[in-house]
Amino acid sequence: MKQSDDEKKEKRKYFISVAGEKCEITKEIYEVFYRMDRRERYLEERDFKKGVIIFSDMKRNYCSAEGIIPDKNTDIETEVINKVLMETVLEAISILNEEEKWLIQELFFFEKSQRQLSKETGLPLMTISNRKKRVLEKLRKYLKIEK
């Protein structure tokens, strides 16, 4: 006698990783956990698109506070050049699709290695490497940068 899809779903076990160990949990807790996880990632992606930097996350995710707080000794010309460069980079990133933006964010803003990203996502290392090359080439062409 074959099991229906509903019966299979009922017997499915749900796990989350806690401190590096897999823990079995109920379906309800699993759904809430991943809904909250996805919401957090969505908010981080939205903040990234808008250029929002959370002060408490500066060192871990983006850069040091010194890089954000303006130096009173810097001349206005340098500030304008830096602002134009930042706007140019953000504009270039805006041409990317969501998957490409995510990849750039993980590799360059969150400073994850390709190997680490491979482990987290389950994608082969070469897939991540090839996608990175394609995205960087796309940005290079958009910014008209020669190799």
Side-chain angles (χ1 to χ4, degrees), residues 43-117:
L43 292 173
E44 288 174 356
E45 291 166 2
R46 187 188 67 185
D47 287 348
F48 171 73
K49 287 178 189 175
K50 293 183 177 185
V52 174
I53 298 174
I54 300 170
F55 188 76
S56 62
D57 288 346
M58 278 185 187
K59 185 169 185 174
R60 181 174 54 100
N61 291 340
Y62 300 95
C63 58
S64 67
E66 292 86 17
I68 300 298
I69 299 171
D71 181 3
K72 294 189 187 226
N73 296 326
T74 305
D75 65 354
I76 190 71
E77 181 181 355
T78 303
E79 286 186 39
V80 170
I81 290 170
N82 288 340
K83 182 147 178 75
V84 169
L85 288 173
M86 182 57 75
E87 288 173 357
T88 304
V89 169
L90 290 175
E91 179 183 323
I93 290 173
S94 74
I95 69 162
L96 303 176
N97 65 40
E98 291 304 313
E99 183 179 304
E100 294 167 333
K101 286 178 188 176
W102 173 83
L103 183 65
I104 292 297
Q105 178 180 343
E106 294 294 314
L107 293 173
F108 295 99
F109 288 87
F110 295 149
E111 299 177 352
K112 292 182 181 177
S113 69
Q114 292 179 35
R115 189 174 310 279
Q116 182 181 3
L117 207 51

